[in-house]
Amino acid sequence: IAVIDTGADVTAPDIAAKAPATWNTRTSSPDVRDVNGHGTFVASLAAGSVTNGDGIDGAGGDAQLMIVKAVGDGGSFSDADEAAGIVYAVDHGAKILNLSVGGPKTSSTERRAVQYAIDHGVLLVASVGNELQSGNPVEYPAALLQPAGSDGVGGAGLAVTSSTPDGRHASYANTGSWVSVAAPGDHVLGAVSAAAPALT
């Protein structure tokens, strides 16, 4: 499982136990230090160790983990950044790509990268976003995987929204005909990056 995000704290117990492969597409180096914290949290949920006896068990079980830093420390990224992360992960053996990133527009660069992964038999999983209270926009790349108007049928990957602990739709999470599936995302615990600002 490749997590394409803000990097990760590879010393966090659940992540360290997986001895993840790492690459920073912005610096062309293995340094994926995560001062934002988002990538660390996502990586632990996607593929945190289920055997280290510490923290939480990631949904990916025994799957190997790859951390690809393609998003800036402030959380911003371009279509070229995203595409570089996708292509790197595919070319280095990832079978599942997690893209908990998105925006209201797509581009030919993003579409080509997504298609490249699909053509190589890779499963893409993308967040549909958390802007329900701000107009519930259609977000990409999720809408490339499950197109708007498809009512969750067909598609080329999984566009995922968030559910609450009691199985209801989370009040902040985007929704619509382009959602494939809902997964727990409200009041979920995950790893915290030691390099990220303290949570308050």
Side-chain angles (χ1 to χ4, degrees), residues 62 139 146 160 167 172 176 197:
D62 290 331
E139 294 267 330
Q146 188 70 61
V160 185
Y172 54 82

Side-chain angles (χ1 to χ4, degrees), residues 4-106:
I4 301 170
D5 212 295
T6 60
D9 181 349
V10 296
T11 68
D14 283 327
I15 296 173
K18 286 291 186 86
T22 63
W23 190 251
N24 186 329
T25 61
R26 292 172 157 241
T27 62
S28 297
S29 77
D31 179 10
V32 294
R33 186 171 180 264
D34 183 17
V35 301
N36 179 284
H38 188 265
T40 300
F41 182 76
V42 171
S44 70
L45 296 178
S49 175
V50 298
T51 60
N52 68 327
D54 195 359
I56 62 159
D57 292 347
D62 290 331
Q64 292 177 300
L65 176 61
M66 178 186 296
I67 306 294
V68 179
K69 182 169 183 169
V71 180
D73 292 341
S76 64
F77 67 102
S78 69
D79 58 349
D81 294 328
E82 177 192 2
I86 291 171
V87 170
Y88 179 88
V90 171
D91 287 351
H92 290 82
K95 301 301 181 193
I96 300 171
L97 304 186
N98 179 281
L99 295 159
S100 292
V101 297
K105 297 179 181 177
T106 187

